[in-house]
Amino acid sequence: MLTWLKAKSEGKLAKQICKVVLDHFEKQYSKELGDAWNTVREILTSPSCWQYAVLLNRFNYPFELEKDLHLKGYHTLFQGSLPNYPKSMKCYLSRTPGRIPSERHQIGNLKKYYLLNAASLLPVLALELRDGEKVLDLCAAPGGKSIALLQCACPGYLHCNEYDSLRLMWLRQTLESFIPQPLTNVIKVSELDGRKMGDAQPEMFDKVLVDAPCSNDRSWLFSSDSQKASCRISQRRNLPLLQIELLRSAIKALRPGGILVYSTCTLSKAENQDVISEILNSHSNIMPVDIKGIARTCSHDFTFAPTGQECGLLVIPDKGKAWGPMYVAKLKKSWSTGKW
C-alpha cells in the first residue's frame, strides 16, 4: 500500500506570494473574469487546495496502484463519457486536495505514473491522435503532454521539440522514464527554435500541438525574486507576438487537412483568445473547430469560463475542481492558400 501524502501545503505555503505579480493579476483578471476572479485568486494563492491527477503509464501498468486509487475514492477522468476518448489512457482524479509521492528517475526502469494538472490533458484529447499519424509537439518540455499523447495512440512519428537547452534535458529524461526502448524509434527530439520549424519541415505533420510559452500564472504568483517578477511582467506584453509566430510556424508544418491545437496555462485573454483571433483573421486557410462539446462533457470535473469562441475553452480553478488555468483552442488547416 502506498504512503499517502497531504498536499505539500507546509512546503508550498512557506513560499511567499509575490505581491507584484498578484497586484498585476488583480488589475487584469478582475476585469477579464469578473466575479469569478475572486474564487480563482483564492485557489491559486492557496497551494493546500491544489489537486494532482495521476496518469497511469500503459507501458508499465501499475495494477496495485490502480486498486489503491479506487479505494481512496479516485475516479477516472471523464468516466467514459467523452466521445473518442482513448481506452488506453487512464487518468485518475480525486475531489479532495492531495497527492501521491512522485517516482524517482531510475535509468532502465519505467515509471508507472505521472502526476499532473488534469486540465493539461485537454489539449492532448482535443488533438484526437490516431495510430500511425505524424505528430509534432512544438514546445514539448517538460514532456507531460508528449507522454500523454503516447498513452492515447501509437503515432507513426512523434517529433518532440524544445528550444531551451535546460528544459530539453528535462524532456529527454521524462521520455526515458516513461517510454520503452522500441517505441523510441518513432520519436525524434530536437532543439530547434519553434518559429523555424515550419520552414524546416513544411506540411510534414498530420497533427501539431503548440503548448506555448506563456505567463504561467501558478508559478509566477510564487516568484521568490520580486525584481525578476517585475521584469517578467514588463516583458509579458511580448509573449503574444512569440505565440503568434510559433503558431504561424506550426501552420506551415501542418499538412492540409491537418489539426492544430494551441494551449497555454494562463488566464490572459491577450495570450489566449486574442492570439487565436489574430491567427484566424490573418490565415484564410485556418478554420476554427468547435470544441464546446468537451466543456459540456467535462463540466463534472472542470469549471470553464466563457471565451466567446466555439473553438476555445478556458479552464479556471474552482473549489473542489482546482484544475487550470488552461486554455485550449482547436484549428484545422484547409486545402486553400492562406494569407501570411
Side-chain angles (χ1 to χ4, degrees):
M1 186 72 74
L2 286 167
T3 301
W4 291 79
L5 304 179
K6 293 181 179 178
K8 287 186 173 178
S9 53
E10 294 180 8
K12 290 274 187 183
L13 288 175
K15 291 184 178 182
Q16 294 296 309
I17 294 167
C18 182
K19 190 174 185 303
V20 173
V21 175
L22 182 58
D23 289 348
H24 179 76
F25 284 176
E26 187 79 40
K27 289 177 185 175
Q28 179 181 353
Y29 295 150
S30 59
K31 292 178 183 177
E32 294 183 4
L33 297 176
D35 292 340
W37 167 241
N38 294 325
T39 301
V40 172
R41 179 186 57 209
E42 182 182 345
I43 300 296
L44 288 180
T45 57
S46 306
S48 60
C49 298
W50 294 3
Q51 295 163 265
Y52 297 84
V54 186
L55 178 65
L56 305 188
N57 185 11
R58 66 169 172 155
F59 304 113
N60 189 17
Y61 203 81
F63 293 99
E64 289 301 315
L65 170 62
E66 189 171 37
K67 291 178 185 176
D68 286 345
L69 293 172
H70 281 296
L71 289 172
K72 291 294 180 179
Y74 278 64
H75 66 277
T76 52
L77 182 63
F78 307 133
Q79 297 183 322
S81 58
L82 187 70
N84 302 320
Y85 184 85
K87 294 180 180 179
S88 55
M89 184 199 277
K90 286 286 185 70
C91 182
Y92 282 86
L93 317 182
S94 172
R95 291 242 168 263
T96 56
R99 60 174 289 170
I100 65 176
S102 298
E103 292 179 289
R104 290 184 178 179
H105 174 70
Q106 293 180 306
I107 296 174
N109 290 333
L110 295 183
K111 291 185 178 182
K112 295 181 177 180
Y113 58 90
Y114 188 88
L115 301 182
L116 75 170
N117 186 320
S120 65
L121 290 179
L122 292 177
V124 172
L125 293 170
L127 205 58
E128 296 189 71
L129 183 63
R130 299 287 179 262
D131 287 349
E133 290 183 324
K134 295 179 180 179
V135 59
L136 168 64
D137 190 350
L138 188 62
C139 312
K145 291 181 178 66
S146 292
I147 295 303
L149 284 167
L150 290 165
Q151 304 305 314
C152 296
C154 291
Y157 176 61
L158 170 60
H159 190 145
C160 303
N161 183 70
E162 177 55 51
Y163 190 39
D164 183 283
S165 57
L166 288 176
R167 288 172 61 81
L168 181 73
M169 290 173 59
W170 192 0
L171 169 64
R172 289 186 186 279
Q173 186 177 95
T174 302
L175 292 171
E176 183 182 306
S177 295
F178 286 90
I179 306 305
Q181 191 62 39
L183 196 55
T184 59
N185 294 331
V186 301
I187 301 173
K188 178 180 179 178
V189 179
S190 66
E191 190 179 358
L192 185 69
D193 182 337
R195 293 170 292 187
K196 299 177 180 178
M197 183 65 76
D199 290 328
Q201 301 201 43
E203 298 189 353
M204 170 78 175
F205 299 97
D206 302 300
K207 305 277 173 75
V208 178
L209 174 62
V210 182
D211 186 41
C214 66
S215 307
N216 187 327
D217 294 353
R218 281 194 187 231
S219 68
W220 280 28
L221 274 169
F222 291 90
S223 302
S224 56
D225 185 334
S226 59
Q227 190 171 359
K228 187 176 180 180
S230 297
C231 183
R232 273 178 170 172
I233 288 170
S234 67
Q235 294 175 350
R236 193 182 189 204
R237 66 176 69 92
N238 299 324
L239 282 170
L241 177 58
L242 170 62
Q243 292 155 348
I244 289 167
E245 289 176 341
L246 287 168
L247 279 170
R248 286 183 172 152
S249 175
I251 290 166
K252 289 181 182 179
L254 188 65
R255 67 163 178 80
I259 294 294
L260 169 61
V261 170
Y262 173 75
S263 62
T264 74
C265 54
T266 180
L267 299 163
S268 175
K269 181 174 177 288
E271 298 177 50
N272 295 337
Q273 296 99 306
D274 292 353
V275 166
I276 293 301
S277 293
E278 170 61 26
I279 290 296
L280 290 172
N281 289 334
S282 59
H283 294 74
S284 59
N285 64 334
I286 296 299
M287 304 296 158
V289 179
D290 190 340
I291 54 173
K292 294 197 306 294
I294 293 180
R296 287 192 294 269
T297 304
C298 302
S299 59
H300 180 71
D301 290 314
F302 301 107
T303 297
F304 295 90
T307 63
Q309 297 172 321
E310 291 187 344
C311 67
L313 301 176
L314 179 62
V315 178
I316 58 173
D318 199 358
K319 292 175 182 176
K321 304 176 185 178
W323 312 112
M326 180 60 57
Y327 174 77
V328 187
K330 185 172 182 176
L331 308 171
K332 183 173 183 176
K333 185 175 183 178
S334 69
W335 293 90
S336 61
T337 302
K339 297 173 287 182
W340 296 95

